[in-house]
């Protein structure tokens, strides 16, 4: 079954997801766009993508796209799509979506029209006028932008960032997909030590361990499409078996996370245990400003932004002190912050920056990979 697949992403991660598909999935028809990546494949590709993609939010099947300036156009466009190829007579098909810069701006009305059109199509195929929707879920998504509609089926269910190991989190959790992206941008593969001095719920350290052990991030969870009749269960069994064969669970790496809050440390330890990487990740209670940063390795940090846990002034004071603590360190440093004055406070201009989004919060990943000796710039106060 040839499919057009779509992976929504956090803004800034499109290129990383495209590379995951090209190099990890050996796919050639991959196209990155703003906030998503489109690619071609079959049901095996669909299962692989759900299990292995670290930085995508979902795996959707794109059924079609068409002009939709009126409700009649929306109805006829939706009804023309081959829903019966996926949704059986007892399938549940809830509808959700969004509309931007379009004549059809009422989401509830669009939901009703899409639902009615799908039901009309299925009614003509299955010769029934009522659908109890007691079977597996086939989540329909629509997107209407500039009077053009796109229709999708969501194969993932819960977002792919929900790996299954983090039932609880601290007050300001970093999304797993973003944590994995930070590690992939740094090209860290376990050959050198890793330190996260603001570990929170342990997400960066755990994602790094999963990457180093080649452990597929989706192995611990289920996906909606695993219950679909249109995809042979053997496809999912084989995909999971292949993923397990790739995993090197016995491999050990030097990964340390720490936090000044003992509750965060305990939470990180529990999450690492659930993720199956407790044997290679060590968490401890420690003030980030009192750590020894003179050894080699890579530092990853998601310190408070001001919008998250501390007020802006307190956060900037923390950046200044952290910059002094790591001054002269040979460690490569990858620090995520939304503060436009981060570099001034940190006392050093980044060697490279990358725009990323932590949820809806615009951030920059500040990358320091050139040895700076002991020089630091004088911090400047906010105007």
């Amino acid at each position: 079954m040839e499919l057009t697949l779509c992976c929504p992403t956090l803004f800034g991660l499109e290129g990383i997801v495209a590379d995951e598909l090209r190099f990890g999935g050996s796919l050639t028809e991959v196209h990155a766009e703003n906030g998503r990546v489109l690619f071609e494949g079959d049901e095996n590709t669909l299962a692989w993508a759900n299990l292995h993609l670290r930085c995508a939010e979902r795996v959707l099947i794109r059924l079609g796209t068409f002009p939709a300036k009126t409700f009649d156009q929306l109805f006829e466009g939706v009804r023309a799509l081959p829903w019966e190829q996926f949704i059986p007579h007892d399938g549940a098909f809830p509808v959700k979506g969004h509309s931007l810069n379009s004549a059809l701006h009422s989401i509830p009305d669009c939901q009703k029209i899409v639902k009615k059109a799908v039901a009309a199509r299925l009614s003509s195929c299955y010769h029934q006028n009522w659908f109890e929707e007691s079977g597996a879920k086939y989540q329909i998504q629509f997107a209407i932008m500039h009077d053009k509609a796109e229709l999708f089926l969501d194969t993932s269910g819960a977002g792919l960032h929900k790996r299954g190991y983090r039932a609880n989190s601290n007050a300001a959790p970093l999304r797993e997909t973003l944590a994995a992206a930070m590690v992939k941008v740094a090209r860290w593969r376990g050959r050198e030590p890793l330190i996260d001095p603001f570990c929170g719920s342990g997400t960066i350290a755990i994602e790094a361990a999963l990457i180093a052990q080649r452990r597929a991030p989706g192995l611990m969870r289920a996906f909606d499409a695993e219950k679909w009749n249109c995809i042979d269960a053997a496809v999912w069994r084989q995909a999971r078996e292949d993923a397990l064969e790739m995993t090197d669970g016995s491999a050990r790496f030097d990964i340390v996370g720490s936090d000044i809050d003992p509750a965060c440390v305990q939470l990180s330890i529990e999450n690492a245990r659930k993720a199956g990487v407790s044997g290679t990740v060590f968490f401890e209670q420690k003030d980030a400003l009192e750590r020894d940063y003179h050894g080699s390795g890579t530092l990853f940090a998601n310190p408070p932004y001001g919008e998250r846990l501390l007020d802006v002034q307190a956060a900037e004071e923390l950046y200044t002190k952290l910059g002094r603590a790591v001054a002269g360190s040979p460690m490569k440093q990858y620090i995520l912050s939304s503060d436009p004055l981060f570099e001034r406070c940190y006392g050093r201009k980044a060697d490279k920056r990358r725009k990323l989004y932590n949820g809806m919060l615009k951030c920059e990943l500040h990358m320091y990979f050139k040895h700076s000796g002991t020089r630091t710039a004088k911090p400047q106060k906010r105007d």
Side-chain angles (χ1 to χ4, degrees):
M1 179 167 50
E2 290 301 313
L3 303 169
T4 296
L5 300 168
C6 174
C7 284
T9 73
L10 295 176
F11 286 109
L13 302 191
E14 301 91 344
I16 298 174
V17 173
D19 285 344
E20 287 189 280
L21 291 163
R22 292 188 185 105
F23 300 116
S26 301
L27 302 179
T28 56
E29 296 298 319
V30 179
H31 307 282
E33 301 178 356
N34 285 337
R36 68 181 191 175
V37 179
L38 295 167
F39 56 106
E40 304 294 325
D42 57 15
E43 56 267 35
N44 296 294
T45 310
L46 182 155
W48 180 92
N50 273 295
L51 281 165
H52 288 271
L53 290 178
R54 300 185 188 277
C55 303
E57 293 302 306
R58 298 180 176 278
V59 180
L60 310 175
I61 299 173
R62 187 171 79 161
L63 273 76
T65 180
F66 50 86
K69 290 185 177 182
T70 67
F71 285 126
D72 284 343
Q73 282 186 316
L74 180 62
F75 180 89
E76 294 301 333
V78 171
R79 188 170 64 171
L81 299 176
W83 299 102
E84 70 281 1
Q85 292 183 12
F86 302 93
I87 305 174
H89 68 91
D90 64 344
F93 51 101
V95 178
K96 63 182 179 181
H98 64 270
S99 177
L100 294 172
N101 301 318
S102 299
L104 302 180
H105 56 270
S106 171
I107 302 304
D109 288 338
C110 290
Q111 286 177 294
K112 292 176 184 177
I113 294 297
V114 171
K115 182 80 172 183
K116 184 177 179 181
V118 175
R121 173 82 182 203
L122 297 180
S123 179
S124 64
C125 293
Y126 298 132
H127 306 293
Q128 62 186 69
N129 295 321
W130 176 255
F131 295 91
E132 293 186 0
E133 302 189 46
S134 58
K137 184 173 75 170
Y138 297 75
Q139 178 68 61
I140 297 171
Q141 290 193 19
F142 66 85
I144 305 175
M145 294 187 66
H146 302 291
D147 298 319
K148 184 178 180 180
E150 285 186 288
L151 272 295
F152 306 89
L153 280 174
D154 181 359
T155 73
S156 301
L160 294 184
H161 68 280
K162 296 185 177 180
R163 318 290 206 209
Y165 65 76
R166 199 173 75 173
N168 299 306
S169 61
N170 62 327
L174 181 69
R175 185 168 288 202
E176 293 87 336
T177 45
L178 181 54
M182 291 173 63
V183 177
K184 292 179 77 68
V185 166
R187 301 183 184 276
W188 189 88
R189 294 295 182 271
R191 299 184 182 91
E192 58 187 7
L194 182 152
I195 293 177
D196 177 5
F198 301 92
C199 69
S201 54
T203 310
I204 294 175
I206 292 170
E207 290 296 321
L210 293 174
I211 289 172
Q213 290 188 344
R214 301 193 299 276
R215 189 188 297 267
L219 272 174
M220 295 178 57
R221 53 160 290 173
F223 306 95
D224 276 4
E226 289 185 85
K227 298 179 181 179
W228 292 5
N229 294 337
C230 57
I231 300 178
D232 195 323
V235 169
W236 289 98
R237 285 197 300 270
Q238 187 62 54
R240 289 186 177 274
E241 289 174 7
D242 292 345
L244 283 170
E245 287 182 5
M246 289 179 56
T247 302
D248 187 2
S250 63
R252 296 293 177 262
F253 304 93
D254 188 355
I255 304 173
V256 176
S258 62
D259 204 285
I260 198 170
D261 185 348
C264 286
V265 174
Q266 190 58 45
L267 180 60
S268 297
I269 292 171
E270 181 63 18
N271 287 340
R273 183 191 65 78
K274 292 177 182 177
V277 296
S278 57
T280 192
V281 182
F282 175 73
F283 292 103
E284 60 183 350
Q285 183 183 357
K286 200 171 187 68
D287 188 332
L289 304 180
E290 296 178 359
R291 291 206 66 96
D292 182 0
Y293 297 105
H294 290 93
S296 62
T298 304
L299 181 153
F300 290 93
N302 177 40
Y305 299 164
E307 287 89 346
R308 294 167 66 244
L309 295 179
L310 301 179
D311 61 53
V312 173
Q313 183 178 356
E316 290 182 349
E317 289 176 359
L318 177 63
Y319 301 155
T320 299
K321 293 177 181 179
L322 180 63
R324 291 170 182 165
V326 302
S329 171
M331 300 189 77
K332 290 176 284 187
Q333 300 153 38
Y334 295 82
I335 305 175
L336 189 69
S337 177
S338 67
D339 192 332
L341 297 183
F342 172 82
E343 291 177 346
R344 293 186 185 181
C345 299
Y346 197 61
R348 182 181 164 198
K349 186 177 180 180
D351 298 316
K352 190 176 181 180
R353 294 182 300 275
R354 184 170 186 144
K355 291 182 180 179
L356 298 173
Y357 280 77
N358 189 1
M360 297 302 294
L361 185 61
K362 183 179 178 180
C363 301
E364 282 194 309
L365 181 62
H366 301 267
M367 298 176 264
Y368 300 88
F369 43 79
K370 298 176 183 177
H371 183 53
S372 62
T374 58
R375 294 173 298 167
T376 56
K378 183 179 180 180
Q380 300 182 32
K381 294 182 179 180
R382 178 184 289 271
D383 295 332

